[in-house]
Amino acid sequence: MGVDPEQRVPVIVQRLIAADVAGVAFTRDPRNGADDVVIEASWGLGESVVSGTVTPDVFTVGTTGSATSSLGSKESRLDLGSSGLRREPVPLDARRRSS
């Protein structure tokens, strides 16, 4: 793949906790490579964002301090219940709110 075998990429492993809102933060915009912080978030566990199951809310903070946001559809959420993981639809009013 043309990757230098001496290059190392850090990996953060976190314990799964029950979350009302979760997502992913990027220190560089994965869409265009800009030095912006991009946060993608949705209701429930972050797995829905990572797997692409939902269209998340996107928050972008530029190096100058400018900020933009866009609401995603967030049609379902994944939660950790007493009997394991469960996916449920998100009520329409919550889809229209920022996560």
Side-chain angles (χ1 to χ4, degrees):
M1 295 181 65
V3 177
D4 181 356
E6 295 301 313
Q7 248 181 348
R8 298 211 184 330
V9 176
V11 175
I12 298 172
V13 178
Q14 296 176 309
R15 182 179 311 148
L16 177 65
I17 61 168
D20 192 43
V21 175
V24 179
F26 301 94
T27 55
R28 182 174 293 254
D29 191 329
R31 301 166 294 187
N32 59 23
D35 286 331
D36 298 336
V37 174
V38 176
I39 300 167
E40 296 183 351
S42 187
W43 303 113
L45 301 175
E47 189 276 338
S48 292
V49 174
V50 174
S51 68
T53 305
V54 299
T55 302
D57 296 337
V58 179
F59 306 91
T60 305
V61 180
T63 56
T64 62
S66 62
T68 61
S69 65
S70 64
L71 291 179
S73 58
K74 306 177 301 286
E75 294 179 2
S76 67
R77 64 181 291 154
L78 185 67
D79 290 296
L80 180 60
S82 58
S83 60
L85 296 174
R86 68 180 190 282
R87 184 166 301 281
E88 297 178 339
V90 172
L92 190 56
D93 66 320
R95 292 182 204 174
R96 294 180 176 154
R97 286 184 283 133
S98 174
S99 51

